[in-house]
Amino acid sequence: MSTSIRRFLPVLFTAICLIASPLRSFAQDHSADIPVTENVDDTGDLDEHRLAETEEEFNIGEMIMHHIADSHEWEFAHGVVLPLPVILYSPDRGLEVFMSSKFHNEGHEYNGYHLIHGDTEAIVPVDESRTVYDLSITKNVASMILSAIILMLIFISVAKAYQNRQGKAPRGFQSAMEVLILFIRDEVVKPNIGPNYQKYLPYMLTLFFFILVNNLLGLLPGAANVTGNIAITMTLAVITFIIVHINSNKHYWAHLVKPTGVPIALLPIMIPVEIVGVFMKPFSLMIRLFANMTAGHIILLSLFGLIFIFKSLVIAPVISAFALFMNFIEIMVAFIQAFIFTLLSSMYIGSAIEDNHEADHGH
Amino acid sequence: MDESKSDKWKETSRRTNSYARYSALAFQMLGTIVLFTYGGYKLDEWQQNKIPVWTLVLSLSSIAASLYMFIRSITKE
Amino acid sequence: MALLTPALGLIFWMLVVFLLLVFILRAYAWKPIINGLNDREKEIQSALDLAVETRAEMAKLQANNEKLVAEANAARDRIIREAKEAADRMIADAKEAAATAGQREIENARETIRNEQQAAIATMRKEVATLSLQIAEKVLHRELSDKASQEKLIADLAATANLN
């Protein structure tokens, strides 16, 4: 019984991903359609219009996009906004730093910049010809720094506990973390990377806990969707890619140019496929985490959005119960995705550094 | 009791393990096909072919190749 | 598609924060934690090894003890057996010695008795002879002094001799 449920879960996650993409396009359709048709005449004061709109007519697509996208300010709840620093670099003006609260609304111009609330937020210069690099501490960056601080506090204190209680049994929080650390070391890194796993263990542990903490933080109300952001997952995947190719041995490269056990006739097509595969691995890492986390957020937000669409007291408890259930699943997904990212990264590294590549194709 | 618990834990991790591996394979297959087809499409666009030869050849061969890779990687265990 | 376009600033900060995190955690967290774990595992392993060793030693000791006890028992049995044998032998010897001594005593006694007897018999014989001689002397003495009785005796003797 429980086995079938467990077997069902991966299917469910895949289903969530699949469901999510039509939902997202649906959401985008709405955000594209309704505001545009209504805002054609007064583009000047979009922000106030948005405010008025939320009171008049609830737009679920816009709400969802607003929550899963990055932002230059941190809105904890409606109206409770923490302004974040905006850092801009342009070749002509150099570094510019100011708070995001300087932008009052869409039409407001500060220092020659507009803050555009489109599909995603962007700071655009009034002078279109200038190139500006936006290095702002956005909501995602702030949340990421917060998670980094949390991780440092947790693990440095755990490390202290190890030093203070040398050789003794773990206690309290230390033992909770130890279970995870040992799991990553013994079940994920050691079997997949092989005997030289020690070198990669710090990176793998950091990777796992960084993704996990950000996944879990993202589930809190009002929090940022860090691991559901393609830039974050891309950076993680690229770091893994670089680590793999710095440490890969000659077997790995040889396998790329001449895959073992492949007929000569197939080589012209197999070599490009293998080379594409090299880039597909980090790409799949990037997409998987991004899609899972974003899809989870979209589902949760859609459920909550339904309450506002139906505007019914009867439907609210049902949806809340379902949302609670989804939240539990999301907590599981948070762990599983962190685990899978770490697992696939270590398998990826393991395949690049293993000595005997022939053993891999034991025909 | 403790042993059965750790067994269950191992079992779950093994399942997730194979889920991860197969989903990685699927991703690789999908990505290969999409990339090759897109490349063929672009080539056809560039050469302004009436019949999308490159799209057809590259998409079909990438499907065949990725299927071949998939079968090889699941039978090598 | 804005969701699928990575933002430059985010990538930059992500790289900075994440790489810093990796290096800081590696130096101040993972190293002590992993060392602590390894140390503890080693300690536990050595404790387990020690336990196994101790158990083996205990078993060896026990076996030794048992051997000692068995040896002691065997020695005790042997000593008792030997003592018993010695005692038996001594008793037998004593009995034998006593028997031979008794025999000799009896022999001696017999010898003495026999000698005494013979001596007694010899003296008695001598006494009887002397006595008889004395009697004969006395009788002869008396008979010869009395003529009548002498004659009578001669007659008696002659009478018996006649019969022969």
Side-chain angles (χ1 to χ4, degrees):
Chain A
M1 178 66 188
S2 67
T3 351
S4 62
I5 290 175
R6 239 179 281 144
R7 201 172 286 159
F8 171 63
L9 278 177
V11 183
L12 184 69
F13 300 145
T14 329
I16 290 170
C17 293
L18 291 177
I19 293 165
S21 25
L23 243 175
R24 204 182 60 223
S25 53
F26 161 79
Q28 277 176 332
D29 281 350
H30 268 249
S31 60
D33 281 354
I34 301 166
V36 167
T37 45
E38 285 179 14
N39 295 346
V40 172
D41 25 30
D42 54 353
T43 32
D45 228 335
L46 257 173
D47 203 43
E48 262 158 46
H49 185 89
R50 256 163 50 93
L51 226 93
E53 189 188 54
T54 40
E55 275 159 19
E56 284 161 13
E57 184 191 328
F58 176 72
N59 186 329
I60 185 169
E62 196 169 311
M63 181 275 277
I64 289 172
M65 288 312 288
H66 176 68
H67 275 92
I68 60 176
D70 203 357
S71 168
H72 283 82
E73 56 197 16
W74 199 333
E75 188 174 9
F76 293 101
H78 195 76
V80 185
V81 176
L82 177 74
L84 294 167
V86 171
I87 302 168
L88 298 174
Y89 177 80
S90 47
D92 50 343
R93 284 208 218 162
L95 218 56
E96 286 169 285
V97 182
F98 53 90
M99 293 307 278
S100 67
S101 51
K102 292 282 199 295
F103 294 113
H104 297 301
N105 56 44
E106 195 95 342
H108 187 254
E109 180 195 322
Y110 177 80
N111 231 358
Y113 298 104
H114 282 302
L115 183 62
I116 301 289
H117 296 274
D119 208 359
T120 44
E121 268 191 16
I123 289 176
V124 286
V126 176
D127 180 7
E128 300 274 334
S129 62
R130 287 178 57 216
T131 41
V132 176
Y133 301 104
D134 185 358
L135 301 176
S136 306
I137 305 290
T138 57
K139 185 177 165 185
N140 278 344
V141 176
S143 179
M144 190 171 72
I145 292 171
L146 179 70
S147 72
I149 291 169
I150 291 173
L151 281 173
M152 285 196 279
L153 287 179
I154 289 176
F155 287 106
I156 290 172
S157 79
V158 168
K160 280 224 183 72
Y162 275 97
Q163 281 167 330
N164 292 341
R165 298 169 44 73
Q166 221 157 19
K168 286 186 195 147
R171 202 169 52 186
F173 195 62
Q174 187 194 358
S175 53
M177 287 301 116
E178 187 175 305
V179 172
L180 287 175
I181 293 170
L182 285 179
F183 175 69
I184 292 300
R185 192 189 69 176
D186 296 337
E187 300 287 323
V188 179
V189 177
K190 223 188 243 176
N192 288 307
I193 292 188
N196 289 329
Y197 76 97
Q198 289 280 8
K199 187 178 160 193
Y200 306 95
L201 192 55
Y203 172 67
M204 288 299 165
L205 285 169
T206 315
L207 190 66
F208 176 77
F209 285 106
F210 180 82
I211 296 173
L212 179 64
V213 164
N214 278 304
N215 283 353
L216 291 175
L217 276 184
L219 289 176
L220 295 176
N225 177 23
V226 178
T227 40
N229 189 298
I230 196 100
I232 303 291
T233 61
M234 191 181 90
T235 314
L236 289 176
V238 167
I239 293 173
T240 299
F241 181 81
I242 290 169
I243 289 178
V244 167
H245 288 87
I246 284 176
N247 293 294
S248 57
N249 57 16
K250 61 176 192 294
H251 292 289
Y252 176 79
W253 296 104
H255 180 75
L256 213 61
V257 189
K258 197 193 171 307
T260 41
V262 175
I264 305 286
L266 279 177
L267 279 182
I269 188 77
M270 288 316 285
I271 289 172
V273 167
E274 290 278 346
I275 290 168
V276 168
V278 168
F279 295 98
M280 281 319 294
K281 276 175 188 160
F283 189 75
S284 75
L285 280 179
M286 168 179 97
I287 293 295
R288 183 181 292 103
L289 182 58
F290 160 75
N292 272 284
M293 295 327 291
T294 305
H297 281 239
I298 289 173
I299 288 180
L300 278 175
L301 290 167
S302 312
L303 283 171
F304 290 123
L306 283 179
I307 298 175
F308 295 96
I309 285 176
F310 285 114
K311 284 189 178 155
S312 156
L313 271 177
V314 188
I315 206 99
V318 180
I319 287 175
S320 298
F322 195 60
L324 186 68
F325 168 69
M326 281 306 300
N327 228 323
F328 279 123
I329 286 188
E330 279 304 307
I331 291 172
M332 274 182 65
V333 172
F335 276 93
I336 288 174
Q337 287 306 320
F339 165 61
I340 285 179
F341 198 104
T342 319
L343 175 73
L344 289 175
S345 294
S346 45
M347 275 163 63
Y348 191 20
I349 291 177
S351 75
I353 63 165
E354 70 184 340
D355 276 336
N356 188 5
H357 221 75
E358 296 300 318
D360 195 30
H361 302 281
H363 289 289
Chain B
M1 195 224 146
D2 209 37
E3 216 161 274
S4 74
K5 212 172 171 185
S6 84
D7 273 358
K8 227 182 236 174
W9 185 224
K10 279 222 174 86
E11 177 68 12
T12 317
S13 100
R14 200 184 55 75
R15 267 181 210 289
T16 325
N17 218 316
S18 53
Y19 158 67
R21 190 168 330 160
Y22 292 130
S23 81
L25 275 176
F27 254 110
Q28 182 154 350
M29 218 174 138
L30 194 78
T32 312
I33 295 169
V34 166
L35 222 78
F36 273 71
T37 312
Y38 184 73
Y41 175 75
K42 280 285 156 198
L43 263 176
D44 276 333
E45 211 176 57
W46 182 57
Q47 295 186 341
Q48 296 181 325
N49 291 338
K50 278 238 171 63
I51 309 161
V53 189
W54 284 114
T55 316
L56 280 173
V57 168
L58 284 177
S59 63
L60 288 177
S61 57
S62 69
I63 288 170
S66 55
L67 264 178
Y68 176 76
M69 281 228 322
F70 180 74
I71 291 166
R72 214 177 51 141
S73 56
I74 59 168
T75 51
K76 83 185 170 194
E77 281 156 32
Chain C
M1 286 316 266
L3 266 185
L4 290 174
T5 328
L8 187 84
L10 202 48
I11 294 176
F12 169 76
W13 286 111
M14 172 64 193
L15 267 177
V16 171
V17 172
F18 186 74
L19 291 179
L20 266 177
L21 189 67
V22 170
F23 288 115
I24 290 174
L25 285 186
R26 187 170 70 177
Y28 297 104
W30 304 132
K31 206 170 267 177
I33 290 174
I34 288 164
N35 285 345
L37 281 174
N38 286 345
D39 285 353
R40 200 168 68 216
E41 266 157 24
K42 242 179 262 161
E43 221 156 279
I44 290 171
Q45 194 55 50
S46 64
L48 284 177
D49 288 350
L50 192 72
V52 169
E53 222 168 85
T54 316
R55 204 178 301 150
E57 216 147 89
M58 285 279 280
K60 219 165 69 188
L61 263 176
Q62 207 161 350
N64 250 5
N65 272 358
E66 266 163 23
K67 215 171 77 192
L68 275 178
V69 167
E71 263 170 25
N73 278 348
R76 188 197 59 202
D77 287 352
R78 203 185 59 235
I79 289 166
I80 289 174
R81 206 175 53 238
E82 278 174 5
K84 216 179 211 168
E85 273 169 14
D88 286 352
R89 209 169 46 235
M90 266 163 76
I91 290 168
D93 285 356
K95 266 188 188 156
E96 208 175 311
T100 41
Q103 206 66 34
R104 210 170 42 237
E105 212 64 13
I106 291 166
E107 295 284 299
N108 282 350
R110 266 198 200 128
E111 190 84 4
T112 320
I113 289 167
R114 208 167 35 238
N115 289 348
E116 299 263 323
Q117 235 173 356
Q118 274 168 358
I121 289 168
T123 39
M124 247 161 68
R125 246 186 221 147
K126 212 196 283 175
E127 294 258 327
V128 169
T130 333
L131 208 59
S132 310
L133 276 178
Q134 274 175 350
I135 291 167
E137 195 185 47
K138 268 179 189 161
V139 166
L140 281 177
H141 203 66
R142 232 181 76 192
E143 290 287 317
L144 288 175
S145 59
D146 182 0
K147 226 58 172 213
S149 52
Q150 266 182 13
E151 279 167 3
K152 195 189 171 224
L153 178 61
I154 292 162
D156 277 348
L157 284 171
T160 46
N162 270 350
L163 270 167
N164 277 336

